[in-house]
Amino acid sequence: IAISMLSIMTTSKRMITLAACLISHKVRPVTRLMATAFTPTQFHVNSVRGVSSSTSRHDVPLSSLGHAPFDRSFSIASTTSASFAHRHYYGSSSSSSSSFTQLHSTISGGEIVVEEVDPYSDQAKDELAKFYEQNGIDDIDVDTAHTSLLRLTEQVLSWNQKLNLVSRKDCTASVIYHRHILPSVALLPLLLETQSSNGNDEKSRFNVVDVGTGGGFPGLPLALLLPDVQFTLVDSVQKKLKAVGEMAAELDMTNVRIHWGRVEEMYVGEKGRREHRGRYDVVLGRSVTALPRFCGWVSDLMKDEGGNGGDDQGGRLIYIIGGELEELVESRIVNDVPLDKLLQRASGTSDKRALIFNARDVEEIADESGEKQRIVRSGPQKKKGQNNKGGKKMAKGAWSKKQNDVKKQRGYDDFQRYES
């Protein structure tokens, strides 16, 4: 009882301090108080609207973004919401000088606090425009792209309440946007470069497969920005693919299809014909498994070199991974680009990098590592009653129907029965 009373008194004291901070417009103490007084899902942007005398970007209804509304109490709930309100109320003097998705680090009480750019702010949209400009991408409307990415952010947050698409720890709009969507968008110039080098004509559509897509990354953000490219999202977890399909339908993405199953068993038809063999210009992966094993899975999906009249350079593998790699893999990398460099942000923010391999090197990695030989494919299912040519093979120790015309195996041939 004493402990309960002490807890109630402490919470009441924090509530009184919070009210005093709001009345006196001292927002910085509020941000420090929230970290201890509230959990991430207990404090929302609605709670700090009274701080600002002007309308914040978070006050704009979600319906104005052009998509169906949902429970917005979860969509932007985080301990960083007060810092967003602080920037809207006081303004930000460093917004014009920060680089793309710059992470601002400050030391408070001996701890490093990372503050990310509000994805709903004009600064985030301006930095997206800067990203396009630096990579020579001028055929994508920035306003439409930014709005679409925000809609996808809201969809992921909504579905993540029902199932674990991404980690639910500190799952906020800012985390989804900066740690999942933007790293996916970072691959955009690499995709466009591969598309231009392969010289795809109007008749042959550029095909991309995202293996192990999980919650739709990196496939969904790229499909939003490249509506003329066909994306196939593959995963073995059906409930995740169902959510990905629903999000794609909600965002009117007609260039996305999903495939449920193991990537090494993408069979179609009774004869086991592989519809996906040699079909894809680009294979995407994001820390799915070890690279040699991944190469063994996807080597048959990539286009062979020399196609399209000899001008086609074949398929490419673009894989996001961090940490050290095997020597077998290191020696065959065509291009190695850190995500921090692609996103024009401070070096060391992330240890992830985008690796590029051509189809021939992927095949060699799969063969030399032995991973391709280790793959066990179940193959197409046979019709009922269709047995193998050698007859039905019985399991060891199994009982079978007795056949009278077959001599019994007794272990001796001179057996005679004597009657008394």
Side-chain angles (χ1 to χ4, degrees), residues 362-416:
V362 170
E363 183 73 25
E364 291 178 358
I365 293 174
D367 290 336
E368 294 184 19
S369 64
E371 291 294 341
K372 195 166 186 179
Q373 288 73 25
R374 296 189 185 98
I375 295 177
V376 179
R377 297 186 174 97
S378 60
Q381 295 182 355
K382 294 186 177 182
K383 293 182 178 180
K384 186 177 181 180
Q386 182 181 1
N387 298 328
N388 297 329
K389 293 182 179 180
K392 187 175 181 180
K393 185 178 180 180
M394 301 297 296
K396 185 177 181 180
W399 290 89
S400 60
K401 187 177 180 180
K402 180 180 178 181
Q403 298 180 6
N404 295 328
D405 56 342
V406 179
K407 188 178 180 180
K408 294 182 178 180
Q409 302 294 329
R410 299 181 181 272
Y412 47 86
D413 298 330
D414 57 348
F415 174 80
Q416 295 183 4

Side-chain angles (χ1 to χ4, degrees), residues 271-332:
K271 297 181 179 180
R273 176 176 57 86
R274 298 193 69 183
E275 177 201 8
H276 303 274
R277 178 185 290 273
R279 176 178 182 177
Y280 295 99
D281 299 276
V282 173
V283 176
L284 299 176
R286 182 181 179 221
S287 301
V288 180
T289 185
L291 257 172
R293 184 180 297 113
F294 191 82
C295 291
W297 292 350
V298 304
S299 58
D300 290 339
L301 303 180
M302 305 172 68
K303 285 186 176 180
D304 296 329
E305 297 183 14
N308 195 18
D311 297 332
D312 198 340
Q313 296 183 5
R316 291 289 182 95
L317 168 61
I318 302 178
Y319 197 77
I320 299 178
I321 195 172
E324 298 182 357
L325 301 174
E326 299 87 344
E327 183 179 353
L328 174 64
V329 175
E330 286 278 5
S331 60
R332 288 175 169 83

Side-chain angles (χ1 to χ4, degrees), residues 93-156:
S93 58
S94 60
S95 61
S96 60
S97 60
S98 62
S99 60
F100 183 65
T101 63
Q102 179 69 39
L103 303 181
H104 307 283
S105 299
T106 57
I107 299 178
S108 176
E111 297 181 358
I112 299 178
V113 180
V114 179
E115 180 184 357
E116 295 175 335
V117 175
D118 181 6
Y120 293 87
S121 65
D122 291 331
Q123 180 183 351
K125 183 171 66 175
D126 294 341
E127 291 173 348
L128 186 64
K130 186 187 296 183
F131 170 74
Y132 286 160
E133 181 181 355
Q134 291 175 347
N135 290 281
I137 305 173
D138 53 3
D139 56 346
I140 299 179
D141 182 68
V142 177
D143 292 334
T144 303
H146 185 240
T147 302
S148 299
L149 295 178
L150 291 180
R151 292 177 59 190
L152 177 59
T153 301
E154 298 286 354
Q155 287 290 321
V156 174

Side-chain angles (χ1 to χ4, degrees), residues 18-34:
L18 175 61
C21 291
L22 291 176
I23 295 173
S24 60
H25 286 190
K26 293 180 179 179
V27 181
R28 290 191 181 275
V30 175
T31 61
R32 291 195 296 267
L33 181 64
M34 282 193 306

